[in-house]
Amino acid sequence: MSHSPPTVTEFNGQVTGLIAELGAAAFCASPGGLPQFTLFVDGNRVIAEPRNAPRHPYGVYCTLSEGLTEEQLTEHLHKWLNSGEAYQQFLSMNLCRYNC
């Protein structure tokens, strides 16, 4: 297991690859809902956990308001990622993993 998290650049690059592979909607959900996939880091690699995985509910994902077009959803997801919000969410959920 890695003792330091991936950098924001590594994280964003790997998430961008997963979005290209699985689609933007796969990582987005309405408030109170869960997406098709959530993001986890194993070692220094970002992976997509499917809904049937035990840790899926505890992964990182983008929360959206309902009624967005596919284009709006994709734009919102990329803003979430590129603003650093996704990375900060990951770090806050894994604080003890890297700092305890």
Side-chain angles (χ1 to χ4, degrees), residues 6-100:
T7 66
V8 68
T9 302
E10 293 167 338
F11 181 86
N12 286 359
Q14 291 180 48
V15 172
T16 298
L18 290 169
I19 291 168
E21 179 184 338
L22 300 169
F27 300 99
C28 298
S30 299
L34 289 173
Q36 186 179 3
F37 291 91
T38 58
L39 300 166
F40 274 88
V41 173
D42 277 342
N44 223 20
R45 188 172 146 244
V46 181
I47 62 169
E49 285 285 345
R51 264 193 202 176
N52 61 349
R55 64 184 182 173
H56 174 269
Y58 310 105
V60 175
Y61 61 93
C62 183
T63 303
L64 305 170
S65 55
E66 291 186 38
L68 297 179
T69 66
E70 186 173 334
E71 184 178 316
Q72 291 169 324
L73 180 145
T74 300
E75 182 179 324
H76 185 84
L77 179 69
H78 285 290
K79 283 181 184 176
W80 174 74
L81 183 63
N82 293 326
S83 71
E85 186 179 343
Y87 187 73
Q88 288 304 311
Q89 186 179 351
F90 154 71
L91 287 178
S92 70
M93 294 172 78
N94 289 279
L95 181 64
C96 253
R97 179 177 174 189
Y98 296 108
N99 293 320
C100 289

